[in-house]
Amino acid sequence: MKILICGDSFSSDTNGWPKYLHDNVTNRSERGVGEFKIFQQTYDHKTFDKLIVCHTSPWRIHTTSHPLHKDNAQRPNNDFMIADIEHHSKHNDEIKHIYSYIKKYTDWDYVKFVYDMIVEKLLSLPNSIHITFHSPEDTKKITNNYHDVWQKYKGNINHLNQIGNEIVAKRIQTML
């Protein structure tokens, strides 16, 4: 079975749960990307037998260039996450200005609406499995929510330890 994995940092490390799927896996997941960039990763999903989409937080704000990560080979397409830019705004003037702008001018209802529209589009793709590790309150449309696994088994491989990655892989294998 040919499997395509698209998503954020919860699926980007091939040494985590993706390696336990024991199939022909192509993993396009990237750290720090928002839902729009995850959607873009699925461009040829029909050439695969199964698509696994690891949805991100709705609170990522799309950007073409993140000043902290634009030259980072592991995060070239990073989007803004409000908690991250708030943290980095204390030590970086450019991020401080970005944070001030986002905090003052962002319409969060619009951000959530656009996120939900992209999620609905992804949910409509055939032969697809959808998972997330983000707050169940924020990601209600995605029924396979592993937020509890992440909270219990935090680690350094896809934000999970070995046990957490094995649990996620077993749950996904039941859906393949």
Side-chain angles (χ1 to χ4, degrees), residues 4 17 118 136 139 151 176:
L4 173 62
W17 60 263
I118 297 169
T139 57
Q151 293 300 299
L176 291 174

Side-chain angles (χ1 to χ4, degrees), residues 1 15 26 36 43 47 83 93 99 109 144:
M1 176 182 295
N15 290 315
T26 298
F36 177 68
Y43 63 89
T47 64
D93 285 341
Y99 176 65
D109 291 334
N144 298 303

Side-chain angles (χ1 to χ4, degrees), residues 21-36:
L21 299 181
H22 301 295
D23 281 295
N24 182 2
V25 174
T26 298
N27 191 343
R28 292 198 184 124
S29 301
E30 290 185 69
R31 296 175 182 176
V33 297
E35 204 69 9
F36 177 68

